[in-house]
Amino acid sequence: MRPVSPDEAGLARAARALQAGGLVAFPTETVYGLGAAVTDGGAVARVYAAKGRPAHNPLIVHVASLEAARRLGAFDGRAELLAEAFWPGPLTLVLPQRRPNRLSALATAGLDTVALRFPGHPVARALLAAAGLPVAAPSANPSGQTSPTTAAHVLADLGDALDPLRDLVVDGGDCPLGVESTVVDLSSPDRARLLRPGGLPRAVLGGLIGPLLGPEAEAPLRSPGLLGRHYAPRLPIRLDACEVGPDEALLAFGPDPLMGARIVLNLSVDGRLDEAARNLYAHLRRLDASDAAAIAVMPIPEEGLGEAIADRLRRAAA
Ligand code: TXA
Ligand code: MG
C-alpha cells in the first residue's frame, strides 16, 4: 500500500474513504491515528480488529470544531475553559455523552462518557472538515506496541491489516509533538482527573482549573487503556540506567551520554524535553530493530513534557 499525500485530491479521497466505511490513518500533532467514521459500527469494529485492541478500551472521537464536540459531550464550565484555551490541540476531554447521538457504542466501549479531541495538525483538521463527520481514532499501532509518528511506522505496523481497496494512509510527515494527547476526565463534578499525561503538560491545565487528581489512584479503572504493558517495543527496557551493559542499546538524554554502549541514540543532546518527546517513539523503534538484547534508558526529568515521556517509558518497561 502506498501512502497518499495530503493535497486537495488526497484529502478528498481520504474523506470519501471514511464516509464509505474505510479506515484512514492520518497524522495529528501527537501521533498518527487510525480513523473510522464513529457512526459506523462496522468500520469501528475493523479498527479494533486491525489493532488487536480489546473491545473494552474506548476510542478517542476526533472533531473538526468545538461546536461539533458540544453536540456529542456535555460541556460544563471547566470543559469550556479548557477547550477555549487549548483546542485545537493535544488535549482530550472525557465528558458525559449527550443523547441521543449516533456514536457507535463500540467506539465508546458502552460507557456513558465520550473522549473528545479537536486536533491542531493542519492535515487532521482538513481531513475532519472534508469528511464532515466525527472520527474515532486510536493511535495507528498494534495494541500495546510503540505508537507511530511517521507514515512509514504506520505502514510497517498495520500495512498488512489494512484493505488496499478501502483503506488509506495519509502521509503528513513527522508528528511535531511525538507523544499522545493529555486525557482529562471531567465526567464527574468533583475534582478533574488526569487519566493520561501527554502533549499538554499538567501544570498548564492546572493553571486554569486547579490541581488535577491522578493518574495514579483510580485512573486504571477509569481508563481501561491504561492497564498493563503498553507503548512497548520488543526488547526489554531498563529505566534510570547509570551504566550500560555490553549487550544493551542506550537511549540517552542530555549532553553526557553514558559511555560504553555500542548502540546509542540520544533523545536530546541539549536536554530539551520537547525534542525528546518528538524523538521518543522513532528512537525506541530504531533501538528495538538493533541486535541488542535490551534497551537501557537514562533518567529523564519528570517536569513539563517529561511526565508524559516518563509515563510512556514506565509502561513500556512494565
Ligand atoms: O494523541 C492521541 O490521543 C492519539 C491521536 C491519534 O489522537 N490517540 C490516542 O488514542 O492516543 P488511544 O486509543 O491510543 O488512546 C486513547 C486513550 C485510551 O487510554 C483510552 O482508554 C482512553 O483514551 N479513553 C477513551 N475513551 C475514554 C472514556 N470514555 N473514558 C476514559 N478513558 C477513555
Ligand atoms: Mg495508543
Side-chain angles (χ1 to χ4, degrees):
M1 182 183 270
R2 283 191 39 225
V4 303
S5 48
D7 53 20
E8 225 179 295
L11 289 172
R13 248 183 90 192
R16 281 196 304 275
L18 285 170
Q19 291 158 354
L23 309 188
V24 173
F26 62 97
T28 79
E29 66 271 47
T30 58
V31 301
Y32 274 72
L34 180 64
V38 72
T39 48
D40 184 334
V44 172
R46 288 182 57 230
V47 169
Y48 280 90
K51 281 181 61 80
R53 181 174 176 116
H56 61 74
N57 188 5
L59 310 182
I60 295 174
V61 179
H62 296 68
V63 291
S65 67
L66 179 51
E67 299 76 70
R70 287 201 193 99
R71 284 195 284 276
L72 299 172
F75 279 67
D76 62 9
R78 302 168 302 176
E80 288 290 346
L81 265 179
L82 293 181
E84 293 280 358
F86 302 119
W87 276 359
L91 172 68
T92 296
L93 298 177
V94 174
L95 302 175
Q97 280 182 47
R98 275 186 64 184
R99 297 187 195 273
N101 64 53
R102 294 174 54 222
L103 296 175
S104 131
L106 189 55
T108 58
L111 298 173
D112 290 327
T113 55
V114 59
L116 293 165
R117 169 152 124 85
F118 174 9
H121 193 292
V123 172
R125 292 185 67 172
L127 174 63
L128 291 165
L133 43 80
V135 170
S139 51
N141 53 283
S143 187
Q145 295 181 22
T146 311
S147 300
T149 53
T150 70
H153 293 164
V154 177
L155 285 168
D157 286 357
L158 295 179
D160 293 340
L162 299 179
D163 177 348
L165 297 177
R166 306 170 69 185
D167 307 334
L168 280 179
V169 176
V170 179
D171 187 352
D174 296 2
C175 297
L177 253 165
V179 289
E180 292 82 352
S181 62
T182 301
V183 182
V184 177
D185 184 0
L186 297 174
S187 64
S188 78
D190 52 275
R191 196 110 140 245
R193 191 173 293 271
L194 182 66
L195 295 183
R196 180 177 72 182
L200 196 64
R202 176 202 290 263
V204 180
L205 292 164
L208 265 193
I209 58 165
L212 291 96
L213 294 175
E216 52 302 314
E218 290 163 67
L221 295 176
R222 293 201 175 212
S223 208
L226 302 182
L227 284 168
R229 192 159 194 255
H230 216 101
Y231 310 103
R234 172 183 61 95
L235 294 179
I237 299 221
R238 191 167 65 80
L239 299 179
D240 296 322
C242 310
E243 82 307 318
V244 206
D247 53 354
E248 285 182 320
L250 178 67
L251 187 61
F253 177 77
D256 304 307
L258 299 171
M259 304 302 286
R262 212 165 25 89
I263 308 159
V264 183
L265 288 176
N266 200 323
L267 289 171
S268 172
V269 175
D270 300 328
R272 276 180 35 209
L273 291 167
D274 58 341
E275 190 180 22
R278 193 158 59 237
N279 287 328
L280 177 67
Y281 291 131
H283 279 13
L284 277 175
R285 282 166 183 264
R286 282 176 56 198
L287 295 180
D288 201 30
S290 74
D291 63 359
I295 300 171
V297 184
M298 286 176 64
I300 292 166
E302 290 203 35
E303 65 218 25
L305 276 176
E307 186 181 7
I309 298 170
D311 168 80
R312 303 306 186 268
L313 287 168
R314 262 197 300 276
R315 291 178 201 286

